[in-house]
Amino acid sequence: MGGIQAPGIRRGGPGYRFDVLAHLVRTELATRHRGSLLGWLWALAPPVFQLLATYFIFTRVIPLDIPNYPVFLLCGILSWTWFARSLGEGVVSLEMRRELVVRPGFATWLIPLISVIVAFVDFMLALPVLIVAMAFTTGLHVESFVLPALLAIQFCFCAGLALLFAPLQVFLRDVRQIVALGVSVGFWVTPVFYGRRQIPDSLSWIYDVNPMAHLISAQRGLLLEGRLPHVVPTIVLALVGIAVLVAGFVTFRACRQRLPENL
């Protein structure tokens, strides 16, 4: 990694680690679709096909009668896809980049972050589709400029969970299956394709303890209705996101010395 060190940046310092992270992310983005016919369009394909299938089911088979359902659904799918990809690829990231884990002095905690950032890039590539759809349906709202704050909170959740599960997968190879099962179940118990009002009062506690449910609802309110999220719940959500990030980082630091010998 010495070839990517910028002049004046101390090796091992924050600037150097950022340089390394940026290099690895660029490399991943450059190689993931190399040789494919559609290239970057593959970043849009999964959420678009999931949108079409879910839209058909919940408008033709089991109608939910939600206004502007296509943009409502797309907003939820994009946010959830970022979350699901971050965990799905982050949990196996250390195994996939074993050559970096065993390299002496390498900041191995950067590796799970690559999966989160690459998934975020896919989210940003698909976001213009949502913006265009809103322009023709719900309209664009000036309040949407608050969206980066909500995305920062979601990034904390995704990064924290990736940092938490990635080293655990090295010691217990069942973690990948457990995370995959949790993500699959989470899709159905999170208001991705339905709204808060469809949840029975007896099951509202599932929504209350689900950070992604609050994030998706807040993003929808902001983008589709121009409704700013309530301050106190958003601050609480941000604090929980930071706590998850810190917990993931602490767990990773506690495990990192034993990672090379277990890979």
Side-chain angles (χ1 to χ4, degrees):
M1 290 298 160
I4 62 173
Q5 183 174 358
I9 296 180
R10 180 175 61 86
R11 183 179 178 89
Y16 175 75
R17 287 193 292 267
F18 177 82
D19 199 39
V20 171
L21 179 62
H23 172 77
L24 292 173
V25 169
R26 287 195 301 267
T27 301
E28 176 68 21
L29 291 172
T31 58
R32 63 185 308 186
H33 300 307
R34 181 179 297 168
S36 65
L37 181 62
L38 298 180
W40 286 100
L41 289 178
W42 284 115
L44 302 177
V48 168
F49 279 99
Q50 190 176 33
L51 168 68
L52 294 175
T54 310
Y55 177 80
F56 172 78
I57 292 173
F58 294 105
T59 57
R60 304 296 182 183
V61 182
I62 311 174
L64 296 180
D65 297 323
I66 296 177
N68 298 308
Y69 190 61
V71 290
F72 174 94
L73 181 58
L74 183 58
C75 185
I77 285 178
L78 292 183
S79 183
W80 182 263
T81 300
W82 173 20
F83 174 77
R85 284 182 176 176
S86 296
L87 266 64
E89 298 178 10
V91 71
V92 296
S93 59
L94 297 177
E95 295 175 306
M96 300 300 293
R97 292 183 177 270
R98 182 182 181 277
E99 73 282 359
L100 296 179
V101 178
V102 300
R103 177 172 296 184
F106 184 80
T108 51
W109 59 271
L110 296 176
I111 298 175
L113 296 186
I114 297 172
S115 302
V116 179
I117 296 173
V118 169
F120 175 69
V121 172
D122 286 345
F123 171 87
M124 293 302 295
L125 288 173
L127 188 60
V129 177
L130 176 60
I131 293 175
V132 171
M134 290 191 303
F136 287 97
T137 53
T138 62
L140 302 177
H141 305 282
V142 67
E143 291 83 0
S144 298
F145 287 106
V146 181
L147 180 64
L150 297 177
L151 298 183
I153 296 174
Q154 181 166 340
F155 186 90
C156 287
F157 277 110
C158 294
L161 292 175
L163 286 167
L164 175 65
F165 291 127
L168 297 182
Q169 165 65 17
V170 174
F171 301 111
L172 182 64
R173 301 307 167 98
D174 296 329
V175 171
R176 177 176 59 182
Q177 284 81 6
I178 295 172
V179 170
L181 180 61
V183 169
S184 298
V185 174
F187 174 79
W188 297 102
V189 299
T190 302
V192 176
F193 59 89
Y194 56 90
R196 176 68 177 85
R197 64 184 181 88
Q198 273 83 30
I199 302 175
D201 292 338
S202 60
L203 299 177
S204 61
W205 63 271
I206 299 177
Y207 174 93
D208 295 335
V209 300
N210 185 347
M212 281 304 300
H214 292 284
L215 281 169
I216 290 175
S217 294
Q219 291 172 23
R220 278 178 174 148
L222 193 66
L223 294 174
L224 307 186
E225 303 173 22
R227 185 181 72 249
L228 292 173
H230 296 294
V231 175
V232 174
T234 304
I235 292 176
V236 172
L237 193 61
L239 292 176
V240 174
I242 293 173
V244 172
L245 179 60
V246 171
F249 189 72
V250 169
T251 301
F252 198 99
R253 283 180 61 90
C255 298
R256 67 178 179 176
Q257 297 298 331
R258 298 171 53 199
L259 292 176
E261 64 189 57
N262 284 275
L263 279 173

